[in-house]
Amino acid sequence: MESIVSLSFPLDVEDDWPPVAVESLPFRVAPEGYVAQVPPLFVKGLSVGDVIGATLEAGSYKVIGWKHVVKSGRSTVWLLRMRQSETISAVLAELRELGCNTVGLEDLGVYSVEVPESVRIEAVDAALAHLDSDSVAVAFPSLRHEQD
């Protein structure tokens, strides 16, 4: 039986960003470390399927430090709604149709997209091009795909 734990990553908040001080993410416990299960909204450099080694605070699942044991081939894309936008929902739906998985906090206007190895990054870029760039910022905190 798989064991899933929620690791808590303290975040450096500067000028009110990110809007939370801790991000908790589910990880599958594996012999080689912890395997990320969902794309993070605020932890940089992490993708679904990554195996990490983590140093935890005694008696808790609060991460003091972490490093990659194995990096997956999946990329993570972040979207940040800076002002009202009519394009985010449609673009997220288009990305899901491509085979990506998405998570988000609508109230905060932050979204994360897991891009599996099987999805071409050019197709993702084409979907992202439909965003209103004056209203939505895009970042690639964990880009594992190679550009064609």
Side-chain angles (χ1 to χ4, degrees):
M1 179 173 175
E2 286 188 350
S3 178
I4 302 289
V5 297
S6 181
L7 298 184
S8 297
F9 293 79
L11 304 170
D12 294 326
V13 178
E14 203 170 298
D15 296 326
D16 296 326
W17 189 260
V20 296
V22 174
E23 181 172 15
S24 293
L25 298 166
F27 283 79
R28 181 174 50 80
V29 179
E32 61 275 10
Y34 298 97
V35 184
Q37 300 298 292
V38 300
L41 291 164
F42 304 108
V43 177
K44 295 178 183 174
L46 187 64
S47 288
V48 172
D50 285 0
V51 181
I52 66 167
T55 303
L56 305 177
E57 188 174 88
S60 77
Y61 287 106
K62 180 180 177 184
V63 177
I64 297 169
W66 67 278
K67 64 179 182 175
H68 282 100
V69 175
V70 176
K71 289 183 180 182
S72 74
R74 301 171 190 176
S75 293
T76 302
V77 181
W78 286 343
L79 306 180
L80 171 63
R81 185 185 66 231
M82 299 176 293
R83 62 179 72 102
Q84 199 57 35
S85 172
E86 303 300 319
T87 60
I88 293 176
S89 293
V91 169
L92 289 172
E94 186 176 350
L95 291 167
R96 287 189 292 270
E97 285 178 21
L98 290 172
C100 299
N101 295 307
T102 64
V103 297
L105 294 173
E106 180 67 31
D107 291 349
L108 298 176
V110 294
Y111 308 87
S112 186
V113 180
E114 171 208 352
V115 183
E117 301 96 320
S118 59
V119 176
R120 295 187 61 232
I121 200 68
E122 291 76 17
V124 171
D125 287 339
L128 295 173
H130 297 127
L131 289 168
D132 173 7
S133 61
D134 291 332
S135 301
V136 183
V138 177
F140 292 83
S142 180
L143 181 61
R144 310 282 172 74
H145 286 69
E146 292 184 23
Q147 298 280 348
D148 283 346

